Amino acid sequence: MFFKVAIAVAAIACASASAQAKQYLELFPTQRSEDENTQKFLESLDYQQGDIALAGASARLNVPNGFYFLSDRDAGRLLVDVWGNPPESAKNVIGMILPASKTPIEDTWGAVLTFDQDGYISDAEAESSDYPSILKSLQTATEDSNEERKKLGYPSIRLMGWASPPYYDKLNHKLHWAKELEFEGNPKHTLNYDVRALGRHGVLKMNFVSGMEQLAEIKQSIPVVMAMPEFTDGAKYSDYIPGADKVAAYGFGGLIAGKAAAKAGLLVIALAFLKKAWILVAFGAVGVLGKLKAMIFGNKSPKA
């Protein structure tokens, strides 16, 4: 893993030293939609690469050419207006990372960035954490949240298990794991791949959402994506001052289960980061979502 991260860091070092916002046709010169409104939406986004400051997180991203970053505003528009999520899901989002191989309305994955300023979290428990027990508690919390989900008009969720078990990079203070989710009425399972970067004042969260069929692609991208964020001087994990700085109310295990379980299981996470293709099937959404079926990029059309 260290060797992979080293390669990722070297790759990112080749990226532009400053942020560069590209226009849609610069990044996707051959991809045009037959729907005029959809094309206008795609061209209204700023596809950023290079060195990017993350507002409110005391951190920066260095995004190489194989990916692009959407600002909090553009990420919110994509999540709500196109992917069909509730408006509150974008409330704390500070941006998104997506692969440059596909447009944001194709069958792609997206990593949603948020920052929890909960305080310093000790990683002393990293090697002793009982991940099987954490998984069981998450599964129980998920089942317990289904009654509330039903009341809100959403289908129930079943947490199938780890799609990729938790792994902690102690050198860089970054944790990642993946969950496989089954939504009622949808035979296609959803993948939630989570990355956490620990800092002096809190945790930078990167939540990937995709279909299970993209697990291998995301795993391949994880070393590069993990190397993108870097806390600024004074906010790094190593800058923590014992006895002076705020300490989070939850421990290392809470990064994976504790906080989510305390907030009705996966209710918040699932509602905030549902994959757009599943919403098309489950809700029969209209408006922008309905137009997705008519979009054509070359000879390809979005999967329903």
Side-chain angles (χ1 to χ4, degrees), residues 41-57:
F41 171 81
L42 291 171
E43 292 181 5
S44 71
L45 302 176
D46 286 331
Y47 303 83
Q48 300 180 47
Q49 296 175 328
D51 185 52
I52 300 163
L54 295 177

Side-chain angles (χ1 to χ4, degrees), residues 213-275:
E213 71 277 4
Q214 291 167 310
L215 176 60
E217 178 186 345
I218 292 179
K219 275 190 171 182
Q220 189 175 18
S221 301
I222 283 293
V224 178
V225 176
M226 283 184 67
M228 289 185 196
E230 185 71 31
F231 285 100
T232 56
D233 290 341
K236 296 180 179 180
Y237 193 78
S238 57
D239 294 326
Y240 167 69
I241 302 176
D245 290 340
K246 177 183 176 181
V247 176
Y250 54 92
F252 191 85
L255 285 172
I256 303 172
K259 197 172 183 182
K263 293 186 177 180
L266 295 180
L267 180 63
V268 175
I269 296 175
L271 292 186
F273 308 121
L274 286 173
K275 195 174 189 307

Side-chain angles (χ1 to χ4, degrees), residues 143-158:
E143 290 294 327
D144 292 343
S145 73
N146 281 329
E147 182 177 351
E148 183 65 21
R149 288 182 58 80
K150 292 278 191 180
K151 291 179 182 178
L152 294 173
Y154 290 90
S156 61
I157 305 174
R158 182 184 177 193

Side-chain angles (χ1 to χ4, degrees), residues 36-286:
E36 182 180 353
N37 290 330
T38 301
Q39 186 66 26
K40 286 182 178 178
F41 171 81
L42 291 171
E43 292 181 5
S44 71
L45 302 176
D46 286 331
Y47 303 83
Q48 300 180 47
Q49 296 175 328
D51 185 52
I52 300 163
L54 295 177
S58 298
R60 307 189 71 84
L61 284 181
N62 203 334
V63 182
N65 289 333
F67 303 83
Y68 62 87
F69 174 82
L70 297 180
S71 68
D72 53 351
R73 177 179 176 273
D74 284 348
R77 294 170 63 208
L78 178 63
L79 286 170
V80 177
D81 296 340
V82 177
W83 287 21
N85 288 280
E88 59 268 23
S89 70
K91 183 178 180 181
N92 297 314
V93 170
I94 58 177
M96 287 181 68
I97 297 170
L98 296 96
S101 58
K102 293 181 180 179
T103 71
I105 55 89
E106 288 186 273
D107 190 14
T108 188
W109 57 262
V112 182
L113 276 64
T114 55
F115 180 70
D116 283 348
Q117 196 166 353
D118 295 336
Y120 176 85
I121 298 173
S122 171
D123 63 1
E125 303 174 1
E127 296 182 1
S128 61
S129 292
D130 188 350
Y131 296 127
S133 294
I134 291 175
L135 175 61
K136 288 182 179 179
S137 68
L138 271 174
Q139 289 173 322
T140 299
T142 306
E143 290 294 327
D144 292 343
S145 73
N146 281 329
E147 182 177 351
E148 183 65 21
R149 288 182 58 80
K150 292 278 191 180
K151 291 179 182 178
L152 294 173
Y154 290 90
S156 61
I157 305 174
R158 182 184 177 193
L159 174 55
M160 307 300 293
W162 300 127
S164 182
Y167 173 83
Y168 183 59
D169 178 359
K170 192 173 182 66
L171 180 64
N172 295 292
H173 309 291
K174 294 174 182 176
L175 169 71
H176 67 89
W177 74 93
K179 303 181 293 290
E180 179 180 355
L181 303 173
E182 178 186 69
F183 289 87
E184 181 184 11
N186 180 30
K188 185 177 180 180
H189 289 186
T190 294
L191 173 70
N192 277 180
Y193 209 119
D194 298 280
V195 173
R196 301 289 184 267
L198 279 61
R200 175 183 178 183
H201 303 298
V203 180
L204 180 64
K205 300 164 64 175
M206 307 168 73
N207 291 356
F208 293 69
V209 179
S210 75
M212 279 300 300
E213 71 277 4
Q214 291 167 310
L215 176 60
E217 178 186 345
I218 292 179
K219 275 190 171 182
Q220 189 175 18
S221 301
I222 283 293
V224 178
V225 176
M226 283 184 67
M228 289 185 196
E230 185 71 31
F231 285 100
T232 56
D233 290 341
K236 296 180 179 180
Y237 193 78
S238 57
D239 294 326
Y240 167 69
I241 302 176
D245 290 340
K246 177 183 176 181
V247 176
Y250 54 92
F252 191 85
L255 285 172
I256 303 172
K259 197 172 183 182
K263 293 186 177 180
L266 295 180
L267 180 63
V268 175
I269 296 175
L271 292 186
F273 308 121
L274 286 173
K275 195 174 189 307
K276 60 186 181 304
W278 176 78
I279 292 178
L280 280 172
V281 175
F283 294 109
V286 295

